[in-house]
Amino acid sequence: MGQDPRTLPPSPNWYCARCSDAVPGGLFGFAARTSVFLVRVGPSAGAIPGTPPFRVIGELVGHTERVSGFTFSHHPGQYNLCATSSDDGTVKIWDVETKAVVTEHALHQHTISALHWSPQVKDLIVSGDEKGVVFCYWLNRNDSQHHFIEPRTIFCLTCSPHHEDLVAIGYKDGIVVIIDISKKGEVIHRLRGHDDEIHSIAWCPLPGEDCLSINQEENSEEPEIPNGKVIEQTPVTKGCYLATGSKDQTIRIWSCSRGRGVMILKLPFLKRRGGGIDPTVKERLWLTLHWPKDQPTQLVSSCFGGELLLWDLTQSWRRKYTLFSASSEGQNHSRIVFNLCPLQTEDDKQLLLSTSMDRDVKCWDMATLECCWTLPSLGGFAYSLAFSPVDMGCLAIGVGDGMIRVWNTLSIKNNYDVKNFWQGVKSKVTALCWHPAKEGCLAFGTDDGKVGLYDTYSNKPPQISSTYHKKTVYTLAWGPPLPPISLGGEGDRPSLTLYSCGGEGIVLQHNPWKLGGEAYDINKLIRDTNSIKYKLPVHTEISWKADGRIMALGNEDGSIEIFQVPNLKLICTIQQHHKLVNTISWHHEHGSQPELSYLMASGSNNAVIYVHNLKTVIESNPESPVTITEPYRTLSGHTAKITSVAWSPHHDGRLVSASYDGTAQVWDTLREEPLCNFRGHRGRLLCVAWSPLDPDCIYSGADDFCVYKWLTSMQEHSRPPQGKKSIELEKKRLSQPKPKPKKKKKPTSRAPVKQEVYDGNEDESIRESSGPVENGVSDQEGEEEAREPEFPTGVASVASREPVTCTPVSLGFEKSKVTVNNKVTLLKKEPPKEKPESLTKKRKARSMLPLTTSLDHRSKEELHQDCLVLATAKHSKAELNEEVSADLEERFHLGLFTDRGALYRMIEVEGKGHLENGHPELFHQLMLWKGDLKGVLQTAAERGELTDSLVAMAPVAGYHVWLWAVEAFAKQLCFQDQYVKAASHLLSIHKVYEAVELLKSNHFYREAIAVAKARLRPEDPILKDLYLTWGAILEKDGHYAVAAKCYLGAASAYDAAKVLSKKGDAASLKTAAELASIVGENELSSSLALRCAQELLLARNWVGAQEALKLHESLKGQRLVFCLLELLSKHLEERQLLEAKSSSYNAWATGTAGPFVERVTAVWKSTFSLESPEQYQAALQQLQSIKYPSATNNTPSKQLLLHICHDLTLAVLSQQVASWDAAVEALLWAVVRSYDSGNFTIMQEVHSAFLPEGCDHLRHKLGEPQSPITPAFKSLEAFFLYGHLYEFWWSLSRHCPKSNIWVRAAHRRTTSVEQSQQINNATPEETDPRDSQTEPNRPPELDVRLTEESKQMLITCKELFSEKHASLQNSQRTVAEVQETLAEMIRQHQKSQVCKSTANGPDKNESEQAAEQSLSSPQNECKEEKNQPLSLPELTKRLTEANEKIAKFPESVKIWPFPDVLECCLILLHIGSQCPGSVTQDMQQQAQELLQKYGNTKVYKRYCETFCT
């Protein structure tokens, strides 16, 4: 397996004529999104022997928008220079060795569409833009020239390789021109023939026109079109061939000497061969060319489906071509190819590199036309990484381009053995999870809520669950079946079911055997089992413990709930994060200490990672759920939200985390220590996974479209960037594409779908919009911050392999909206209502019968004729003859004087006239006159022209017509966005529920609640639902106070308190605690009050903290702890041992007289009225239930002090109720905490305050010497002596300043895995005997000055020489040392692998040489120490022996920590050498014996030699 870092880069940009290029010697670059990725190809790539010789070596970062062009300088000696053009309007020149910009220009005013570095002029870069402007830029003299040849869109341009002034330009409409830049851009030839976009222009590599035997007369199709004048045959135009490829499916070869086409090659339609692609996709063509330097009679071109063709130009009359990779199936690209770049490697291989829409970069051997290797790439965010537990090294990657990649990271022949799965996905892949036991069974979840199962070993489409989530799928997990699925018999149910958690907050259980059946929401089971009445939290994460007995659910409010199978009994809630939980991970079960499998790490939208140890909770199986508010370990350092955490399967307690701060961090969780920080990504990290086979190797994915494989041993930083550094990373991230919408020519990609353009969108949508958007560079913050409500989604293009059909629909929709608005405006053209009277008089009202009136104002003759016709009609007795009826038809206005039928006809004609002139209201009035009210209403409803007045008249037509009219009017109002008015009309016909639903569905919650409360019964469930829905929306938008009011309205007080506390500041927490207390939620109230107090504690606001704790009776014990903490802080501050000053002390903290313990009890008595033993006992019970984790030397000082004061409070309370055993135990833990954290000063302060007279008074209280607490007392006494011993030793060296206390405190490192296992490496810094020997020898009168007290103290130090503790500590040290040696051996082995593989490459980089040096140096040291390195069996044997020894020790010795015995021996021997006679001979001898006997580990070896020889 390759021990080298690797990169899966973003996909090369699409639809660009030249955005990849290569230079001899083996450097290839391609533009991807806003940067250029560089790939070293050939022997110098330093690839592992046997694998393809290429490596992604870096990135050119600097553009802020899509890079549209990339070209190297092809001049020997400056192959390191290249140029890029970008949609940000700049052309930048780079040096690839330094990866820095040499210079840049922003001359173009429009989008740059073509770029080329002249192959003839060393410093000339030519670029063209969409408006037809060409700029020539000379790098060395920083000079430029601009030419405007044609007002058309330039698609590509290529400088002539034979003449420095000629440039060929291809336009969007198929025109090709050749210009001479020395003559102000004069057009030498205008080549007409293509009738669509020119995609590529290639000059023949040989000058002159002898290389092709073309009978030009026969082939010339078009007459010669000189440019308006006869062209003289100057040497400039003298021969050279030019090839152009166009979207019109032809390649044309042109003769420059004649200025016309000489050959046309029509692309063949090839039968599609096993390309893995959706057959329904109609693709646009992209026709790109490459004319090989050494084979001028051949031309390479792309074809319809991604095939490459080698054309034989010698036989132009018959279309002759060879297919690349004709023999081997599946080696071709499966979609259209955009760029072809020739590359000559150092070993003179002629290669061709191609980039394609299928997101692969392929390398072809021009000698055999076979594919040498493929570099896959990503077209979207890397959302999810998962290693298969069965098929080792198989890494599944969920990508935002709608494809799942499965990378076989162990492949020996191919570093990038990646398979793509796209069938049935059609959306961003946001979650993945392999089945723990079944080969090739991969579950996936998508952005649109779909859950499916792939069999990666078959070509079948995936099975899709019939139950969808309403929003993004966040997490998938396999776990044991729960009811109702688990209720089937053994054979009827699967051994594991699939759990999915979606963005709407629901966890579903899917049956993998029946994905078509229903999936079950586990909330129902949780409610039933735990009989929960309040609203269940919104779930955002699910994680099963490896043994399948415990499930953890992370929630949006930051809580984590722990459930037990088989019925999901809630056993514990962790209130630690106070923001949405993104990730939860359980420690693996195969560590050296089985209890570590109870560790659970979690990360949220806060930057802190918490690790909890759930051993005691899970094993005690409590009756009612426990609430945990203290973490076992806290890992702080990231500066933005945490998206993913993963435990190393190779180490104990080693964790890697991924964060939005742009880095991944490896932690030693047991020591709370940051180990290494990876900063290779240019975006926010979304996922991280530890290699299952290599302890040094981690994979991470981010929103920069990259997956990196990196090695922990090669990282230079150890912790995440703070301050300035993180600002730089932020800048780096911001240099990613901006979300500003680009000017689009057509509204193709502006469809109101979720701002994505699918990668199937090839239907003639214009190039500009389709390019970047499809490659995922459009709207970066499409659904910004998403996993707050949604996933961190930027627009990765989605490879829905179908053409987008939404575009036309959307446009239709827009149109229809417009027409509605027109009608709305028409309605407003009624006579103006409130105008001054003077105006109304002037303006006559519009006539109701304007046509009739106008017909009555015609000429006299016509009017006379009217009379005659009317008379005839009225007085002819018989039937009217046809002539008269025709006359009447024509003169419809006579209807006023004849019968009703004629009148109706007249009204109809007038009505039509009104409608045509846009006066529907007059038409309605006419119909009312006619008495056809129902008809009026129907017509108005159909045309969306109902008005208030019409609806007001509706009752005339009857009750049912009125009801129908009001409903129709309400619908019309909704269409016009007048929802509140619509609801009021619905209320008028007593449709209360419909009115409320209408308001609710259009987000008028306030109005909906007002209506519901006014019109419905108070207990109506609709009302509660309204409150809860509005509350949830307000909560999501961060309006917590109003949301709390909603929850209170819904009688859901618990949720009200929870939502108030969400902000997490002291004021909110206090209000939330008071609210919870009022409504009787005591447990919640007390936990919130405590959180509030802890917040205030961080700000050292003592008064506020005590007030917060007063809120709840059950926090009386905590008030005592805070009181003692305040007194101790004041005490330390007075002695200047505490840096931070605090102003707001309580009044009672000021008295300083008397011993410390008495002061504490006095304050307790006066302030907290604690007098009777019963009260003390009650407080003691309250506090004993709280367990804090052990300290490490990374524990923050404020937290450490709080934990120590908790122990000290227990000690004082125990003394007050005369429970001396408990007092000793509590005091011991307080001392051990300060010792573990390396804080010597605090330890000494605890001694002086609580044991001013030493430990004797406690010994008397304890009674008989054999009691079970005696070993604890012995330990306490030992620590007391240990502290005094150090103080005495330092007092001998008075010239050392006091700060030495702090120096040694900083150096002290204890690895405390569990308190039962104190391994204390006494570090050489503090006990190096040579230090003391270099000091000037003490004058002899020191002996005299030794007080009696000191002598007595030195004699009692004999208590520290405990043989059994020395032996136990020695065994523990051996275990630690062997484990370290094993880890080091593995590391050295891996490094040697790296060195071997890279040693073949000629240019070793520095980091590798450094690795080699570091490899050799530790071995040298070992050789000095012991002549031969230890073998593996010997190490294992040592380990087993030491573990067996440890097991034999009685529990009493193992439980209670004890100072390092050998350390104490060394200090006593130092004192003896510095101050002869002070330490008795007998003691010195005993110390030396212990050192000889137990000093065989590395730490003590050299000191023992010093003292014992």
Side-chain angles (χ1 to χ4, degrees), residues 800-961:
S800 132
R801 304 286 179 159
E802 289 174 8
V804 173
T805 48
C806 47
T807 313
V809 179
S810 67
L811 298 177
F813 175 65
E814 308 259 313
K815 277 182 202 141
S816 64
K817 234 182 179 163
V818 173
T819 51
V820 173
N821 290 350
N822 287 345
K823 281 165 195 161
V824 175
T825 45
L826 297 180
L827 294 178
K828 289 177 185 157
K829 286 189 183 164
E830 287 176 326
K833 304 277 188 300
E834 287 129 295
K835 289 253 178 110
E837 281 174 36
S838 56
L839 290 179
T840 32
K841 278 177 192 163
K842 280 179 197 165
R843 208 170 151 197
K844 262 174 67 181
R846 195 178 298 277
S847 162
M848 285 293 292
L849 301 169
L851 301 177
T852 314
T853 316
S854 66
L855 287 176
D856 279 341
H857 285 86
R858 288 182 305 171
S859 66
K860 200 177 273 180
E861 291 81 29
E862 287 290 347
L863 292 179
H864 291 168
Q865 187 59 35
D866 279 353
C867 297
L868 295 175
V869 171
L870 187 59
T872 316
K874 295 285 272 187
H875 291 279
S876 71
K877 294 278 182 285
E879 283 297 304
L880 293 179
N881 62 11
E882 282 178 17
E883 206 175 302
V884 178
S885 0
D887 275 351
L888 279 174
E889 286 272 311
E890 191 186 320
R891 298 163 188 272
F892 63 86
H893 61 292
L894 296 181
L896 211 52
F897 310 100
T898 55
D899 57 359
R900 181 177 289 180
L903 177 74
Y904 280 2
R905 266 202 306 282
M906 179 187 102
I907 287 181
E908 198 178 318
V909 175
E910 289 281 8
K912 268 191 189 149
H914 286 315
L915 286 177
E916 277 161 18
N917 293 323
H919 301 297
E921 68 285 358
L922 299 180
F923 165 71
H924 296 155
Q925 287 189 42
L926 278 178
M927 300 301 275
L928 280 175
W929 291 359
K930 189 175 152 187
D932 183 11
L933 182 57
K934 198 169 176 184
V936 176
L937 291 169
Q938 262 168 345
T939 319
E942 278 161 21
R943 295 172 56 102
E945 290 166 350
L946 284 169
T947 60
D948 290 294
S949 53
L950 270 182
V951 175
M953 290 181 192
V956 176
Y959 178 68
H960 292 293
V961 174

Side-chain angles (χ1 to χ4, degrees), residues 1039-1104:
H1039 304 305
Y1040 298 137
V1042 192
K1045 290 193 269 192
C1046 285
Y1047 291 141
L1048 285 170
S1052 185
Y1054 180 87
D1055 296 319
K1058 289 282 284 200
V1059 75
L1060 266 181
S1061 66
K1062 255 191 144 171
K1063 192 141 187 252
D1065 60 312
S1068 306
L1069 288 168
K1070 189 166 182 200
T1071 313
E1074 286 181 36
L1075 191 150
S1077 162
I1078 293 168
V1079 300
E1081 290 285 357
N1082 290 339
E1083 196 178 320
L1084 180 64
S1085 166
S1086 65
S1087 76
L1088 291 171
L1090 183 56
R1091 260 180 70 195
C1092 172
Q1094 284 166 340
E1095 284 290 323
L1096 291 163
L1097 186 66
L1098 292 177
R1100 305 187 72 74
N1101 179 349
W1102 301 103
V1103 181

Side-chain angles (χ1 to χ4, degrees), residues 1274 1278 1357-1369 1453 1458-1462 1464-1465 1486 1490 1494:
K1274 282 260 180 357
C1357 279
K1358 203 162 184 176
E1359 293 289 333
L1360 290 168
F1361 294 172
S1362 159
E1363 175 99 20
K1364 55 185 180 206
H1365 281 105
S1367 172
L1368 172 67
Q1369 286 165 357
V1453 178
F1458 199 87
D1460 193 315
V1461 178
L1462 300 191
C1464 300
C1465 295
Q1486 197 178 345
L1490 283 169
Y1494 299 113

